[in-house]
Amino acid sequence: MERVIDRDGLADFLRRRRQLLRPADVGLPEGARRRTPGLRREEVAQLAGMSTDYYSRLEQSRGANPSEPIVSSLARALRCDLDERDHLYHLAGLNPPLRRAGTHINPGLLALVSRLTDLPVVICTDLDEVLWQNALADVVIGPLVGEGRARNLTWLWFTDPAIRRIFPEEDWDVHSASHVADLRATYSRRMGDRDITELVEDLVAHSEEFRALWDLHEVAVRRLPRKRFLNPEVGDLDLTCETLLTPAADVRVRAFLPVEGTDAREKLDLLRVIGTQSFA
């Protein structure tokens, strides 16, 4: 079936959503006096991870056909609720995702975590795909680019050695076992869902370490509260990971708090300054 895009409707919806939001709603500074209400186009583009030119063309009813990842990113950037998200998909000629939370973050949840600027905060799916992380998480964990598997922490852990460099080597076995046990619990809860079945099959095919751990059939929702990170700017970071689940348990917020009795608080404060300077 041919894809039909309502370009004028899409452009109008994007403009109206952008004009309804204030910088404070999305965790951005107010900045200089604004001549028009709402966010600027470049701010929406930044939040959605695309070029300003690409976003501007969408608001002008022209340009390329937006892909599903692009529409999903725009829905998050514009703080759409599920009805607005589905409407955005329809305007783009796409079928909206199922009404599980899936890859959608409730705008109220985004507004809440956007205010936690002094802690690294990450929002993931139950398959460990990162949907959003704040600036301090970019500094501590590293910015993630791309979509799908390129943002899936379990997939990267077993297929890309680079991700392990931010953790002490003596902790790797514990992290590996935790990743697999957590995935096994989700696999049992969502038995038969194609996304998790394909992820497990691909991990079994690509990683001997994953395959051996998976065969142990250990099941546990991740409980690895204390983590040590290695940072080139400040050295070791001793943090506690607090995980908050949404009611459906398919979107998770992970906030990393400094361990009491360590210098992690001071190091995080320093990284906030370093990160702000780098992004500026």
Side-chain angles (χ1 to χ4, degrees):
M1 184 176 178
E2 184 180 355
R3 179 180 173 186
V4 178
I5 301 177
D6 182 353
R7 293 192 180 278
D8 291 339
L10 177 63
D12 183 65
F13 181 75
L14 292 175
R15 283 194 301 270
R16 290 180 184 277
R17 284 298 307 162
R18 176 171 62 83
Q19 291 166 2
L20 285 174
L21 294 172
R22 300 176 304 159
D25 295 331
V26 297
L28 294 175
E30 198 69 39
R33 184 177 178 84
R34 294 168 183 258
R35 287 176 290 186
T36 56
L39 297 180
R40 299 186 177 101
R41 285 177 176 173
E42 58 266 29
E43 290 170 333
V44 175
Q46 176 190 348
L47 291 167
M50 63 187 65
S51 71
T52 302
D53 179 66
Y54 183 91
Y55 177 76
S56 297
R57 282 185 279 122
L58 289 178
E59 276 205 8
Q60 295 163 358
S61 305
R62 59 191 183 92
N65 297 343
S67 65
E68 191 279 336
I70 288 290
V71 175
S72 178
S73 295
L74 285 170
R76 288 196 294 271
L78 294 169
R79 302 303 195 259
C80 295
D81 61 25
L82 282 173
D83 290 333
E84 292 162 341
R85 180 206 67 174
D86 289 357
H87 182 60
L88 184 58
Y89 270 79
H90 288 309
L91 291 172
L94 297 166
N95 292 322
L98 297 176
R99 278 296 187 114
R100 299 173 51 249
T103 59
H104 181 74
I105 306 173
N106 183 285
L109 180 61
L110 269 177
L112 172 65
V113 295
S114 295
R115 286 161 170 75
L116 301 177
T117 58
D118 61 339
L119 299 173
V121 179
V122 178
I123 299 181
C124 298
T125 69
D126 58 353
L127 298 187
D128 233 6
E129 180 184 337
V130 176
L131 302 176
W132 179 93
Q133 61 184 33
N134 65 4
L136 193 52
D138 284 341
V139 177
V140 173
I141 302 171
L144 291 169
V145 296
E147 295 289 336
R149 296 284 172 84
R151 300 176 68 94
N152 187 293
L153 298 179
T154 299
W155 173 260
L156 293 173
W157 182 262
F158 289 102
T159 62
D160 184 359
I163 195 173
R164 301 194 179 200
R165 295 174 190 156
I166 64 173
F167 300 100
E169 188 171 355
E170 59 266 29
D171 294 350
W172 289 359
D173 287 347
V174 177
H175 283 286
S176 294
S178 179
H179 274 293
V180 175
D182 186 60
L183 186 61
R184 173 68 79 173
T186 303
Y187 185 84
S188 299
R189 182 171 63 88
R190 294 217 278 116
M191 182 71 73
D193 286 1
R194 193 175 80 171
D195 55 353
I196 191 167
T197 300
E198 291 179 350
L199 175 60
V200 171
E201 289 175 349
D202 289 348
L203 281 166
V204 167
H206 283 82
S207 171
E208 183 178 344
E209 180 188 13
F210 177 87
R211 184 164 59 250
L213 289 168
W214 187 257
D215 288 343
L216 294 177
H217 209 112
E218 295 181 351
V219 181
V221 176
R222 177 173 298 144
R223 292 182 177 88
L224 189 62
R226 190 160 176 171
K227 292 189 177 185
R228 293 187 298 160
F229 292 86
L230 302 177
N231 185 275
E233 301 289 347
V234 299
D236 291 0
L237 268 173
D238 213 352
L239 304 177
T240 298
C241 179
E242 292 291 340
T243 301
L244 309 176
L245 303 181
T246 55
D250 50 6
V251 173
R252 305 169 178 183
V253 179
R254 292 184 186 135
F256 296 90
L257 289 75
V259 173
E260 293 182 1
T262 72
D263 58 357
R265 174 73 277 166
E266 291 76 13
K267 288 179 176 179
L268 284 178
D269 290 340
L270 177 58
L271 287 174
R272 282 182 69 197
V273 176
I274 294 173
T276 302
Q277 291 175 343
S278 299
F279 296 138

